[in-house]
Amino acid sequence: LSIICRHHQLGAQSVTLIGSPNRNVHLEHPFNASTLTAHVLLLDSCQGHPEKGFSESFRRDLKIARKAGVTVRGSTTLDDLMTYYSLYDDSLKRWGNAATSRHSKSLFVALARMPADAFRVWLGEVDGVAVAGVVMFYKGDTAYYWHGAFHSDYSRIMPSKAVLDAAVTDAAQRGYQRVDMLSSGGHKGVIQLKESMGAMPQKFTIN
């Protein structure tokens, strides 16, 4: 409720709450119920090696990224969140009107104030230059893949595949039972990416 009040004070016309299959949300008027589909990647049987469930095409792209020298590291610093935001800004320009959401820079600044064990930004780099990244959240036995972006100049070396592999492998090795990849906003390419990692669709209702 504090979030809703804050948005009202900022003059927001509407507030959308996105749930997940693992967190039921029950809200009364004035919210409207809706059914969405999320993708969930189960980790409890992969023995710390989720790559075993990746599709042949994903593994092929992963090899391309590794051969190109993409290295990946996790971070919780404001500087690295701003680096990620620059990748996101490049992606927004590429997506244009096809983007179904746009997040402000201030949101990524606010992430740096979260507890260090609640989130992590993963950056893929080539020769020390960030070329792709994802933002993950962590709660209970679930890791959440919230956001991903890459720089268009490096798309041919598939850096996002290396970053996703590192983030998901880290979650598996730290004992998380699943990666909730959330809703895909109807983007077929995003859905195909998640399913190429072995994630399965699950419907859930916010009511």
Side-chain angles (χ1 to χ4, degrees):
L1 289 176
S2 63
I3 295 174
I4 295 171
C5 291
R6 175 61 175 163
H7 277 74
H8 178 70
Q9 292 169 1
L10 293 174
Q13 298 300 307
S14 65
V15 176
T16 300
L17 300 180
I18 305 298
S20 83
N22 303 300
R23 294 290 184 271
N24 293 322
V25 177
H26 299 282
L27 296 171
E28 299 179 356
H29 180 80
F31 289 93
N32 297 316
S34 60
T35 299
L36 300 172
T37 299
H39 278 75
V40 178
L41 176 62
L42 299 179
L43 301 175
D44 52 356
S45 62
C46 74
Q47 298 180 333
H49 299 282
E51 185 178 341
K52 296 177 180 179
F54 295 169
S55 70
E56 181 179 347
S57 62
F58 192 99
R59 290 196 298 269
R60 183 176 61 248
D61 291 346
L62 186 55
K63 288 180 180 178
I64 292 173
R66 289 170 173 169
K67 186 175 181 179
V70 178
T71 59
V72 184
R73 61 183 179 85
S75 174
T76 58
T77 69
L78 177 58
D79 284 347
D80 284 330
L81 282 165
M82 292 300 93
T83 297
Y84 176 80
Y85 180 79
S86 68
L87 295 171
Y88 172 54
D89 189 54
D90 177 78
S91 295
L92 281 177
K93 294 173 183 176
R94 183 172 66 252
W95 297 333
N97 293 332
T100 52
S101 62
R102 293 177 181 272
H103 304 302
S104 67
K105 188 175 183 178
S106 60
L107 174 60
F108 293 91
V109 172
L111 290 183
R113 297 195 292 270
M114 292 181 62
D117 61 350
F119 82 99
R120 192 165 295 177
V121 55
W122 293 87
L123 294 175
E125 300 174 329
V126 176
D127 296 329
V129 177
V131 298
V134 303
V135 178
M136 303 283 292
F137 294 118
Y138 306 94
K139 178 69 174 179
D141 61 1
T142 304
Y144 297 85
Y145 167 44
W146 174 62
H147 215 267
F150 65 89
H151 198 288
S152 56
D153 289 349
Y154 295 87
S155 60
R156 68 189 184 283
I157 63 171
M158 309 296 175
S160 292
K161 304 298 177 63
V163 179
L164 282 168
D165 171 63
V168 169
T169 299
D170 169 79
Q173 293 179 348
R174 289 201 287 144
Y176 289 96
Q177 297 298 298
R178 67 189 64 82
V179 177
D180 186 342
M181 301 185 122
L182 307 181
S183 179
S184 303
H187 297 293
K188 291 183 179 180
V190 178
I191 293 172
Q192 291 172 353
L193 170 64
K194 294 174 181 178
E195 293 183 349
S196 72
M197 297 181 70
M200 300 297 293
Q202 293 188 17
K203 291 186 180 297
F204 64 98
T205 301
I206 300 177
N207 56 30

